[in-house]
Amino acid sequence: MKAIRKCLFPAAGFGTRFLPVTKAMPKEMLPIVTKPLIQYGVEEAMQAGISGMAVVTGRGKRAIEDHFDVSYELDQQIAGSEKEDLLSDTREIMSRCTFSYIRQGEIRGLGHAILTGEPLIGDELFAVILADDYCVAEGDSVLAQMVHLYEEYQCSIIAIEEVPQEESFRYGIIEGETQDESVYRISNLVEKPAPTDAPSNLAIVGRYILTPDIFDIIRNTAPGRNGEVQITDALQSQAAQGKVIGYRFEGRRFDCGSVSGFIDATNYTYNKQNPQ
Ligand code: G1P
């Protein structure tokens, strides 16, 4: 059984929907209460047994690297005070995980971002987390649930959820055959179709487990929606061979790529941490 050792975090996007805050700060560093979005993604990957974090960055993203590194001045400043506890999660992450980074020089779509990460992943099975899809679950993390499913199906797995049909233009939409209540064998995927063209109301959420043949497939995938190389289009080749499973996960997703989703996620998390 192949284990999943690495998780890729595409993080080169500009976060223009959050301007001006994202002018000098990576959108992945926006805080949900006191932790940046990308840290939740890293913790989710850790809960799935993954310790190799591979981040595709770009210009203006150095705060991400600094966040997962020691800060000697800060450590010294708070040593022995009750504030030390506030750094225990990041310290734990640093002791258990390795971080590697590569820069994406130009923004040419999610497929291109994933291909940019190939030197960090190599020829092995890997996961992808889009940090702005913030996922919460009561039990196993969403990615951990997908890892269990991989053990059964041994092919690419993508997270899906039902969305209102009129919002299909914001997502990759799948078509597939039900294997059981929450599992679909995908036959077709369309990136951001108009509601009238959407093959279903099942949308792709930013969690993927991908077999490494995807890199060659992406290399041969022509630009699609918005003139960008789409992972959704690349997955179509694997789906044609019955090798993509869609999984309706247990838990809840917040679209932190939008201001309202971000506010909902913040309120939800704050209320969870501070029950009335
Ligand atoms: C990307 C994918 C899309 C998916 C979405 C999930 O789009 O291309 O298929 O549904 O993530 O968040 P983006 O939101 O980056 O435009």
Side-chain angles (χ1 to χ4, degrees):
M1 176 78 61
K2 284 180 224 145
I4 305 181
R5 302 186 312 140
K6 295 180 187 171
C7 183
L8 190 70
F9 294 85
F14 294 132
T16 46
R17 275 187 273 177
F18 282 87
L19 282 170
V21 70
T22 46
K23 199 174 162 212
M25 186 179 94
K27 65 173 171 160
E28 295 76 14
M29 291 301 293
L30 288 172
I32 301 292
V33 190
T34 54
K35 280 187 205 175
L37 268 174
I38 192 162
Q39 185 175 338
Y40 290 99
V42 167
E43 290 175 356
E44 184 181 333
M46 285 169 78
Q47 284 159 19
I50 296 173
S51 61
M53 309 299 165
V55 190
V56 179
T57 66
R59 287 179 294 281
K61 299 281 185 167
R62 283 165 68 169
I64 298 176
E65 293 174 54
D66 290 340
H67 184 72
F68 296 110
D69 196 357
V70 281
S71 166
Y72 291 109
E73 299 87 337
L74 183 62
D75 283 352
Q76 221 169 23
Q77 176 81 26
I78 66 170
S81 82
E82 79 269 16
K83 296 222 175 87
E84 268 207 296
D85 257 8
L86 299 175
L87 285 184
S88 59
D89 287 354
T90 42
R91 284 180 177 164
E92 161 111 14
I93 289 172
M94 284 169 344
S95 71
R96 287 179 47 199
C97 302
T98 58
F99 285 82
S100 55
Y101 299 89
I102 194 163
R103 282 195 183 214
Q104 185 182 7
E106 35 177 1
I107 306 294
R108 283 174 46 204
L110 182 55
H112 179 254
I114 291 173
L115 185 58
T116 303
E118 184 184 21
L120 304 180
I121 300 295
D123 187 22
E124 61 178 279
L125 185 67
F126 65 106
V128 176
I129 287 183
L130 306 185
D132 53 13
D133 273 340
Y134 167 60
C135 291
V136 294
E138 290 295 334
D140 284 349
S141 74
V142 172
L143 194 60
Q145 296 169 37
M146 293 168 69
V147 168
H148 293 316
L149 204 65
Y150 175 80
E151 286 162 9
E152 187 177 338
Y153 287 95
Q154 305 272 317
C155 65
S156 291
I157 315 271
I158 62 181
I160 52 175
E161 73 172 1
E162 260 183 48
V163 296
Q165 185 102 13
E166 65 272 16
E167 287 182 21
S168 64
F169 68 94
R170 296 173 51 198
Y171 300 97
I173 301 289
I174 66 118
E175 183 175 7
E177 208 172 282
T178 325
Q179 304 287 294
D180 75 31
E181 218 181 296
S182 55
V183 177
Y184 293 73
R185 177 89 56 188
I186 295 178
S187 53
N188 185 24
L189 312 92
V190 192
E191 181 67 3
K192 304 197 171 93
T196 44
D197 299 332
S200 76
N201 64 346
L202 292 170
I204 302 171
V205 167
R207 299 289 181 278
Y208 306 74
I209 290 175
L210 299 173
T211 52
D213 55 313
I214 199 73
F215 291 124
D216 273 340
I217 298 173
I218 299 172
R219 258 187 283 281
N220 293 308
T221 299
R225 179 73 59 200
N226 299 331
E228 296 181 332
V229 178
Q230 301 294 348
I231 188 65
T232 305
D233 297 339
L235 282 164
Q236 184 65 50
S237 299
Q238 291 185 339
Q241 298 165 37
K243 288 188 172 160
V244 184
I245 290 293
Y247 171 57
R248 281 170 71 162
F249 55 92
E250 280 170 39
R252 186 165 170 195
R253 174 198 66 120
F254 294 91
D255 174 14
C256 292
S258 77
V259 175
S260 66
F262 175 77
I263 300 298
D264 289 347
T266 302
N267 288 332
Y268 172 90
T269 305
Y270 182 79
N271 290 332
K272 196 96 181 155
Q273 290 174 358
N274 300 280
Q276 297 295 314

